[in-house]
Amino acid sequence: MPDLVRTTDGSWWPANVQTPRLVLRPVAEDDLRVAERLWRDERVRRYLGGPVSEAKIAVRRRTLPGSPGAFAITARDTNATIGMITIDPHSGRGATEVSYTLLPEHWGAGVGREAVAAALVWARSLPGTDRVVAVTQTANRASRRLLEAVGMRECGEMVEHGHPQIMYCG
């Protein structure tokens, strides 16, 4: 069971979610270097509309640390930040939405799947969460395989960032 803490506004935050190899914890100032790398990296942002503008990065630098539902993915053995996951119960998609990015040097090692699976367990435990979704570009086969591996299934299609997207539900 995820470690949930009810805050004064009724939300469940902050939280630390642990897996055999990872800890998902609230984003801290020290994680911004990795977050900025994720926002600027063309490989990471290939299916996400491209690198984030410097103006948006400036805003994110101020708002991301401590933001409810924003998790740094850290390696349990080194405490190194290797990615980010956000869980947004108010995403506008009619469900709680999970989004994730991982540094390219950690792709293909199963840590993305491990992190997303843990985030889904935490998201489903939130009061009022009936459904969890994730959206990925149709062309992003690796992300689609990851979402299917954690038990999510295709449940919708749309166009965003000028490209076809698939919504997964689980």
Side-chain angles (χ1 to χ4, degrees), residues 52-166:
V52 177
S53 73
E54 292 303 316
K56 285 184 181 179
I57 287 175
V59 171
R60 288 180 181 185
R61 281 187 63 74
R62 290 190 306 273
T63 61
L64 183 63
S67 180
F71 289 92
I73 303 169
T74 62
R76 207 170 171 159
D77 59 349
T78 65
N79 202 35
T81 302
I82 62 172
M84 300 283 159
I85 289 187
T86 58
I87 300 169
D88 183 1
H90 310 291
S91 72
R93 297 191 194 274
T96 297
E97 184 172 358
V98 174
S99 302
Y100 50 91
T101 54
L102 198 66
L103 292 172
E105 59 267 29
H106 298 282
W107 293 354
V111 292
R113 183 176 57 249
E114 189 173 324
V116 172
L120 288 171
V121 169
W122 187 82
R124 290 178 185 129
S125 71
L126 295 173
T129 297
D130 298 324
R131 187 169 77 125
V132 180
V133 300
V135 175
T136 191
Q137 199 176 111
T138 303
N140 190 345
R141 295 193 188 283
S143 187
R144 292 176 65 188
R145 281 192 307 271
L146 181 155
L147 293 170
E148 291 165 4
V150 298
M152 298 188 86
R153 298 292 170 246
E154 292 181 31
C155 62
E157 297 177 354
M158 68 210 67
V159 174
E160 289 181 346
H161 310 296
H163 297 281
Q165 310 285 322
I166 296 178

Side-chain angles (χ1 to χ4, degrees), residues 34-48:
V34 171
E36 288 184 36
R37 185 172 160 211
L38 291 165
W39 298 330
R40 289 184 176 109
D41 190 299
E42 290 187 16
R43 293 168 298 167
V44 172
R45 301 292 306 172
R46 178 178 178 192
Y47 299 110
L48 297 169

